Amino acid sequence: MKRVFCSIMQDITLPKWFYEEGIGENRAILVENNQMLELRIERNFGPFSGPKYGAIMRAKLQKKHQDGGFIQLEDGHEAIIKKWPVGFTEGQSLNVEIIRERLLERTREKPAVTIASERDIQNAPTLLDRLQASHIEVEKCAAHKGDILVQYGWYEILEQAEQGIYPFTNGQLIIEQCTAMTIIDVDGDEDNVILAKAAAAACAKVIRLFDLQSIVGIDFPSIEARKKRMQIAEIFDESMMIPCERTGVNGFGFMQIVMKSISPSLLELLRRDRAANIALLALRRAELEAFQSMASQMSIAAHPRVLHLLSDHGWLNILTDRTGRNWQLVEKEFDDITHFEIF
């Protein structure tokens, strides 16, 4: 597969967002001192559709359960209301605010969580809205300007997130998602204390980079000395940029972190639908390569599952409009679904 690179790399010292309005998904990275600090993806189709964080929607109360209950949103999705509104009964309608999006776990779907709201109905803020509200400079990327995101490791970070392996000096983090929490296992051949100290900073970095939320457990190497364990926790605190609560590092090397949960993490997003990842990657590459080609007719050859997604959502028509090229899909039985060709 051909990758398209931009020949001029921007030297970024102050924090800066790069935002790309893609076909099927929108993308953003936060860069500071030429290092990627955050990577965010926004999707809203198929399994990624549904009520988004911050939206205020009309809903009907269905069934009271303990302090809260179950509701049906106006778009048809079922959700949870955290606290049953005083004076309301089953069957009545009201406005609710989405405070956590639905989560798609390996074996089940956790519905969105809401609270009653007296505010008017409104759409959820988009990814671009959130970037602009951060008061950090936002630069919009366009395909005809070249691939700006790749300069800061876009493809490498996506691969790390999908595989759940994040390397750091003399070690790596193995990230696994369980039903109860996300587990980060510290792996390496260094002395336990040296390895744990390096891993503490790396864990704080990867939590922000991959947008890990809710409960995260870190399995450091076992360290007997309490003072050393406190030093590891202090290094984590100094590096952690996300508000959280945590336990200490116990004698077995385990530390638990609790953070606010509002939406699927980058890992959850990428692991939900592999074919969708490849389809969207193919669209991104196709748009970039179209601006380096003089051909009026271009093609995407891919696995049938990938081609089905490209045609089913009308993305090929958008690609045609944005590139001024005529595109056709070519079915090819690659050995691996991740393989595709653009020509």
Side-chain angles (χ1 to χ4, degrees), residues 83-94:
K83 187 175 181 180
W84 194 270
V86 177
F88 280 74
T89 59
E90 294 176 3
Q92 286 188 277
S93 297
L94 75 167

Side-chain angles (χ1 to χ4, degrees), residues 166-169 173 184 197-207 235 239:
Y166 182 79
F168 64 96
T169 305
L173 305 178
I184 302 177
K197 287 182 176 180
C203 286
K205 181 177 180 180
V206 83
I207 286 172
I235 292 172
S239 305

Side-chain angles (χ1 to χ4, degrees), residues 41-102:
I41 291 176
E42 179 181 59
R43 296 177 180 175
N44 192 24
F45 63 89
F48 312 105
S49 62
K52 301 299 183 184
Y53 175 77
I56 298 178
M57 307 175 67
R58 197 68 178 164
K60 179 178 288 187
L61 297 167
Q62 288 189 312
K63 185 177 180 181
K64 190 173 183 179
H65 179 69
Q66 296 180 349
D67 293 335
F70 300 96
I71 62 175
Q72 185 172 40
L73 300 169
E74 60 185 352
D75 65 358
H77 285 94
E78 292 188 347
I80 293 171
I81 189 162
K82 197 170 183 180
K83 187 175 181 180
W84 194 270
V86 177
F88 280 74
T89 59
E90 294 176 3
Q92 286 188 277
S93 297
L94 75 167
N95 288 359
V96 296
E97 180 179 354
I98 309 299
I99 61 170
R100 196 209 66 200
E101 298 175 15
R102 67 181 181 132

Side-chain angles (χ1 to χ4, degrees), residues 13 30 47 50 75 157 177 278 280 311 331:
T13 53
L30 178 63
D75 65 358
I157 299 297
Q177 288 189 303
I278 304 306
L280 294 166
S311 59
E331 184 174 320

Side-chain angles (χ1 to χ4, degrees), residues 197-267:
K197 287 182 176 180
C203 286
K205 181 177 180 180
V206 83
I207 286 172
R208 184 182 184 188
L209 185 61
F210 292 168
D211 196 21
L212 302 183
Q213 302 174 40
S214 189
I215 303 174
V216 175
I218 304 177
D219 189 14
F220 292 107
S222 298
I223 297 170
E224 293 184 5
R226 183 172 180 271
K227 184 176 180 180
K228 298 294 184 183
R229 300 200 305 267
M230 291 177 65
Q231 290 174 353
I232 293 164
E234 288 170 0
I235 292 172
F236 176 84
D237 290 344
E238 291 172 0
S239 305
M240 185 66 169
M241 302 299 292
I242 307 297
C244 69
E245 296 181 6
R246 66 161 178 82
T247 65
V249 181
N250 66 24
F252 297 102
F254 193 77
M255 182 172 77
Q256 184 170 306
I257 303 127
V258 180
M259 295 166 289
K260 186 177 182 180
S261 176
I262 63 172
S263 61
S265 69
L266 182 63
L267 271 67

Side-chain angles (χ1 to χ4, degrees), residues 92-286:
Q92 286 188 277
S93 297
L94 75 167
N95 288 359
V96 296
E97 180 179 354
I98 309 299
I99 61 170
R100 196 209 66 200
E101 298 175 15
R102 67 181 181 132
L103 302 179
L104 304 169
E105 298 182 341
R106 184 177 301 175
T107 58
R108 61 172 179 164
E109 175 183 319
K110 296 175 71 173
V113 178
T114 71
I115 56 173
S117 176
E118 295 182 355
R119 296 162 61 194
D120 293 335
I121 292 173
Q122 66 179 36
N123 294 327
T126 64
L127 174 59
L128 182 58
D129 291 335
R130 297 197 301 272
L131 302 188
Q132 292 173 334
S134 70
H135 304 296
I136 296 173
E137 181 184 357
V138 179
E139 179 175 327
K140 294 183 180 180
C141 305
H144 69 272
K145 297 180 181 179
D147 195 345
I148 294 178
L149 303 188
V150 77
Q151 303 169 24
Y152 303 102
W154 172 261
Y155 293 117
E156 290 77 10
I157 299 297
L158 281 182
E159 186 175 2
Q160 290 168 6
E162 193 168 4
Q163 294 180 352
I165 300 176
Y166 182 79
F168 64 96
T169 305
N170 297 323
Q172 61 181 2
L173 305 178
I174 311 297
I175 309 167
E176 293 290 345
Q177 288 189 303
C178 306
T179 301
M181 68 176 69
T182 301
I183 299 292
I184 302 177
D185 182 51
V186 177
D187 183 36
D189 298 325
E190 271 284 4
D191 169 82
N192 281 4
V193 175
I194 295 174
L195 180 64
K197 287 182 176 180
C203 286
K205 181 177 180 180
V206 83
I207 286 172
R208 184 182 184 188
L209 185 61
F210 292 168
D211 196 21
L212 302 183
Q213 302 174 40
S214 189
I215 303 174
V216 175
I218 304 177
D219 189 14
F220 292 107
S222 298
I223 297 170
E224 293 184 5
R226 183 172 180 271
K227 184 176 180 180
K228 298 294 184 183
R229 300 200 305 267
M230 291 177 65
Q231 290 174 353
I232 293 164
E234 288 170 0
I235 292 172
F236 176 84
D237 290 344
E238 291 172 0
S239 305
M240 185 66 169
M241 302 299 292
I242 307 297
C244 69
E245 296 181 6
R246 66 161 178 82
T247 65
V249 181
N250 66 24
F252 297 102
F254 193 77
M255 182 172 77
Q256 184 170 306
I257 303 127
V258 180
M259 295 166 289
K260 186 177 182 180
S261 176
I262 63 172
S263 61
S265 69
L266 182 63
L267 271 67
E268 292 169 305
L269 202 65
L270 294 177
R271 294 178 181 183
R272 176 60 184 175
D273 191 336
R274 196 178 186 202
N277 296 341
I278 304 306
L280 294 166
L281 174 60
L283 286 168
R284 185 174 190 271
R285 296 270 183 84

